[in-house]
Amino acid sequence: MEDAPVKKAQAGAPAWVMTFADLMSLLLAFFVLLFSFSEMDKQKFKELSGSMRDAFGVQREVPAFNPPIGTSVIARDFSPGMPTPTDQDQVRQEAIKELTEMRKQGENEEAENDLLEDLEKVLNYLEVEIAKGVVEVQSDGERVITIRIRETGSFPSGSADLSNDFNPVILKIARLTNEIGGRIAVAGHTDIVPISTDRYRSNWELSSARAVTVLEQIVEKGQLDPARFQVAGFGATRPIDSNDTAEGRARNRRVEVILLRGGSLDTEYAEGVSREASAIQDQ
């Protein structure tokens, strides 16, 4: 038998040698880079890290279990703090409180707009009387509108009998109270000059009698519900002007028709008069 022919080897290196050479070249370059990194100038590295720390302000050595906590991301030094967890009930209560305040604010704005409309209505109704100085109109800016009937033109001096010429004004006030609604107080006031007659023993009786007269006329002419009204006589205890002059005493002799749109009539009126009295005394 003849032997099998021997296969001749090709001239040159095998093909896998090229791949192996490429791999060795890459590994060599990789280790050369690692070596170059290990030989980096430490002084230059410190300068570089210092520049980074000064630029960002966060390169501070803090233990890992106590991370830095601050109030500003641009602060150079952070102050550590303790986070306080927020209770779910507390969040709910704060949200309800904010909603309540917003609702109250909306209601107050609506009430203020209604008050301005009613005040404008009163001023239009009594425009002529205000120009003549027979009545005065004032508002506290919240709920109360006060119509002041001055003694001049309404009552004779020392009397509680309403002048016939003043009946048209009473009719206008009755219509206003009917349109505006709410509770009404009628209060009589005098100056500090004492009075003592067969009919009225003091300023208290005179102020009360005048308030009752005005109240009865308003209820009668306007066909209004008496339950909406209350009457008071304050004598000379609630001045709105100085009693040292004739003009001031003339302003203090008055009957007030107080229109209150919601709330406690006694409290609101007492607070309003107290503020006015304090302002007069300070002058």
Side-chain angles (χ1 to χ4, degrees):
M1 266 179 84
E2 294 182 358
D3 295 334
V6 179
K7 197 173 185 177
K8 294 182 179 181
Q10 296 181 358
W16 59 268
V17 174
M18 298 300 296
T19 304
F20 180 76
D22 292 337
L23 177 61
M24 290 298 103
S25 299
L26 293 174
L27 289 174
L28 177 62
F30 175 71
F31 284 110
V32 168
L33 287 174
L34 290 180
F35 179 76
S36 63
F37 291 156
S38 64
E39 293 298 325
M40 180 178 293
D41 191 349
K42 294 182 179 180
Q43 184 64 29
K44 290 184 178 180
F45 180 78
K46 289 182 178 180
E47 293 178 359
L48 178 62
S49 63
S51 300
M52 296 291 290
R53 181 181 62 243
D54 295 336
F56 296 98
V58 296
Q59 302 297 325
R60 179 182 177 186
E61 294 182 0
V62 179
F65 58 85
N66 189 16
I69 299 176
T71 58
S72 175
V73 295
I74 62 173
R76 179 168 297 181
D77 295 325
F78 281 83
S79 300
M82 293 297 295
T84 55
T86 303
D87 188 13
Q88 184 176 2
D89 293 336
Q90 182 179 355
V91 175
R92 185 182 297 107
Q93 291 176 0
E94 292 179 355
I96 294 175
K97 183 179 179 181
E98 292 180 358
L99 291 175
T100 303
E101 292 178 354
M102 293 175 61
R103 186 181 299 110
K104 287 182 179 180
Q105 183 178 2
E107 292 176 354
N108 292 336
E109 292 179 355
E110 183 178 358
E112 183 178 356
N113 293 333
D114 293 340
L115 178 66
L116 293 176
E117 293 179 2
D118 292 340
L119 179 60
E120 185 177 0
K121 184 183 297 183
V122 173
L123 294 175
N124 291 334
Y125 258 78
L126 303 175
E127 181 179 3
V128 177
E129 289 74 16
I130 294 174
K132 292 180 179 180
V134 178
V135 300
E136 297 177 1
V137 177
Q138 185 177 359
S139 171
D140 68 344
E142 296 179 1
R143 290 190 297 245
V144 180
I145 299 176
T146 302
I147 303 174
R148 294 195 179 103
I149 301 173
R150 304 187 63 177
E151 181 191 56
T152 304
S154 58
F155 293 97
S157 179
S159 173
D161 297 328
L162 193 63
S163 175
N164 293 329
D165 296 337
F166 203 77
N167 286 332
V169 183
I170 294 295
L171 181 59
K172 287 184 178 181
I173 296 176
R175 291 175 178 173
L176 279 171
T177 56
N178 189 28
E179 292 185 10
I180 292 177
R183 299 186 63 189
I184 304 162
V186 182
H189 303 268
T190 65
D191 56 21
I192 61 173
V193 179
I195 182 175
S196 179
T197 64
D198 296 337
R199 189 171 181 182
Y200 306 109
R201 294 176 299 175
S202 65
N203 286 335
W204 291 97
E205 290 190 2
L206 178 60
S207 63
S208 300
R210 286 181 173 179
V212 171
T213 300
V214 172
L215 184 150
E216 291 176 344
Q217 290 294 320
I218 292 176
V219 172
E220 179 183 353
K221 295 184 181 301
Q223 299 296 315
L224 302 175
D225 182 9
R228 295 175 52 195
F229 291 81
Q230 66 183 59
V231 66
F234 291 101
T237 61
R238 301 290 191 271
I240 60 171
D241 208 330
S242 174
N243 280 298
D244 297 332
T245 63
E247 292 79 6
R249 291 191 296 271
R251 286 198 66 204
N252 291 333
R253 298 191 297 269
R254 69 200 187 277
V255 175
E256 294 181 337
V257 180
I258 301 102
L259 311 178
L260 178 66
R261 307 165 64 257
S264 173
L265 184 59
D266 297 329
T267 302
E268 293 291 338
Y269 180 67
E271 291 179 354
V273 172
S274 298
R275 289 194 297 267
E276 293 176 352
S278 301
I280 295 299
Q281 293 175 1
D282 294 339
Q283 291 179 355

